Amino acid sequence: TRMVSAGTRAEKITVVPHGVDIERFRSASSEGIRVRYGIPDDAPLLMFHGTLHYWPNTEAVRFIVESLLPKLHESHPELRVLLAGQNPPQYYAHPAVIAPGSVDDLEAHIAAADVCVCPIFAGGGTRMKLLEYMAAGKPIVSTTKGAEGIAYTAGEQMLVGDTADDMVAHIRDVLASSELASRLGRSAARFASAYD
């Protein structure tokens, strides 16, 4: 509407929606990922990825390390976090955080995760990582800002919380219930299929 009101003819406008390669993520195997990084089979694994020197993603890493991990380690001392992406901020290094940098097999890393998180509080646009997590059928815990641009229903395709306590509670709920994790993952995969 803004472009038309500015004088562009409507027939000249095409909207290209976001997309994700469903098969690439749905068929990915996590085989070897935990072994590669020395993650015990029974350790809960969270996943976040992106260009990690981009400030909103750097802030997400800080939030994960400083606000989520201490609380999550109270109930899940073995929990690990996998942060894939270019230029991980070394000043947020933590013994429970694995930060391999950019990876060629992102879909395998996502497949290895028990919960994918998106604690984004700034920036704009759609977080394509969410469509990738959805395509992989993963349970997701995000902030409202992180889920911006995706027509999700909270509690169906993902759990949404905007404080550390809310996000921790959601993550604990998913880790405690394979039924909840499966239901969220199935709903997310169905949602993502429209963006194949």
Side-chain angles (χ1 to χ4, degrees):
T1 11
R2 291 173 66 189
M3 290 177 70
V4 171
S5 65
T8 304
R9 293 194 336 255
E11 63 271 12
K12 294 261 186 191
I13 300 170
T14 302
V15 176
V16 180
H18 294 297
V20 62
D21 184 346
I22 296 291
E23 188 54 33
R24 174 182 167 209
F25 290 92
R26 180 180 15 226
S27 64
S29 168
S30 65
E31 187 174 349
I33 296 296
R34 284 177 178 261
V35 171
R36 184 185 308 175
Y37 301 116
I39 303 167
D41 288 340
D42 59 349
L45 182 60
L46 304 187
M47 171 75 186
F48 176 77
H49 79 278
T51 303
L52 298 178
H53 63 268
Y54 173 56
W55 185 79
N57 287 337
T58 303
E59 277 297 292
V61 170
R62 182 197 59 75
F63 184 80
I64 290 166
V65 171
E66 294 181 357
S67 300
L68 298 184
L69 265 178
K71 294 172 187 287
L72 287 167
H73 275 164
E74 291 172 10
S75 54
H76 297 85
E78 296 301 312
L79 183 136
R80 302 288 193 277
V81 179
L82 190 51
L83 299 173
Q86 185 182 15
N87 298 324
Q90 296 305 312
Y91 40 91
Y92 295 127
H94 186 285
V97 172
I98 298 101
S102 295
V103 295
D104 292 332
D105 53 350
L106 176 63
E107 58 276 6
H109 286 71
I110 293 172
D114 295 304
V115 183
C116 293
V117 296
C118 188
I120 298 286
F121 294 95
T126 302
R127 302 331 178 257
M128 297 307 295
K129 61 179 65 70
L130 287 183
L131 288 180
E132 293 166 346
Y133 300 155
M134 289 176 158
K138 290 295 171 177
I140 300 165
V141 176
S142 179
T143 57
T144 303
K145 183 71 172 173
E148 189 176 67
I150 294 178
Y152 69 94
T153 301
E156 288 188 27
Q157 292 86 24
M158 67 183 83
L159 301 177
V160 177
D162 291 317
T163 67
D165 286 342
D166 288 345
M167 291 193 83
V168 165
H170 289 324
I171 292 165
R172 284 179 175 154
D173 287 346
V174 172
L175 293 175
S177 171
S178 58
E179 188 281 327
L180 175 61
S182 294
R183 180 175 61 76
L184 288 168
R186 285 191 309 269
S187 180
R190 281 192 303 273
F191 181 90
S193 67
Y195 297 89
D196 190 13

